[in-house]
Amino acid sequence: MILSIRNQLPGTVTTVTRGEAMATVKIRLDGGQDLTAAITLDAVEDLGLAQGSAVRALVKSTEVSLATAPVRGLSIRNQLPGTVTAVATGAAMATVKIAVEGGEFTSAITADSATDLALAVGTPVVALIKSTEVSLAKE
């Protein structure tokens, strides 16, 4: 299956914490970073997720926010440090590629945000991703 989702990172499930209707699934990405996904219990069952399951974390580029430093006092679970490798700025939007340990993320942000953050190749950034915006696919 080919998807339009730019961000597809392989990893392994480390824990599954079940709630009433949702579960949090912690994943160790192949690059060593930890990522949390909040998905339905039905999805956990359908995918047969358990500790050790190989998965692919999927995140739309429009769901990847950027900061120029780690952020404290924030409910966003996933904060992955990286370095900008490319910036393509249009009239309204910018596409930013970020190298993280073991992979790459693409973020689609407003051109004004890219300017305000002074993003350029080599800029250190933190990719911020809400756990509810991480989908999982079984390898």
Side-chain angles (χ1 to χ4, degrees), residues 5-86:
I5 296 174
R6 296 293 93 201
N7 302 310
Q8 301 183 27
L9 297 172
T12 304
V13 173
T14 57
T15 60
V16 177
T17 304
R18 296 167 186 270
E20 293 296 317
M22 300 283 290
T24 55
V25 180
K26 293 191 179 182
I27 303 125
R28 172 71 43 91
L29 298 176
D30 286 359
Q33 311 90 328
D34 292 318
L35 194 68
T36 300
I39 63 174
T40 65
L41 287 177
D42 287 343
V44 170
E45 295 302 321
D46 290 347
L47 293 170
L49 297 180
Q51 184 176 359
S53 296
V55 294
R56 187 166 291 273
L58 308 170
V59 182
K60 290 175 60 176
S61 60
T62 53
E63 301 304 332
V64 179
S65 297
L66 298 176
T68 54
V71 182
R72 295 183 181 265
L74 187 67
S75 66
I76 295 176
R77 304 301 311 151
N78 301 305
Q79 298 193 30
L80 303 173
T83 305
V84 173
T85 59

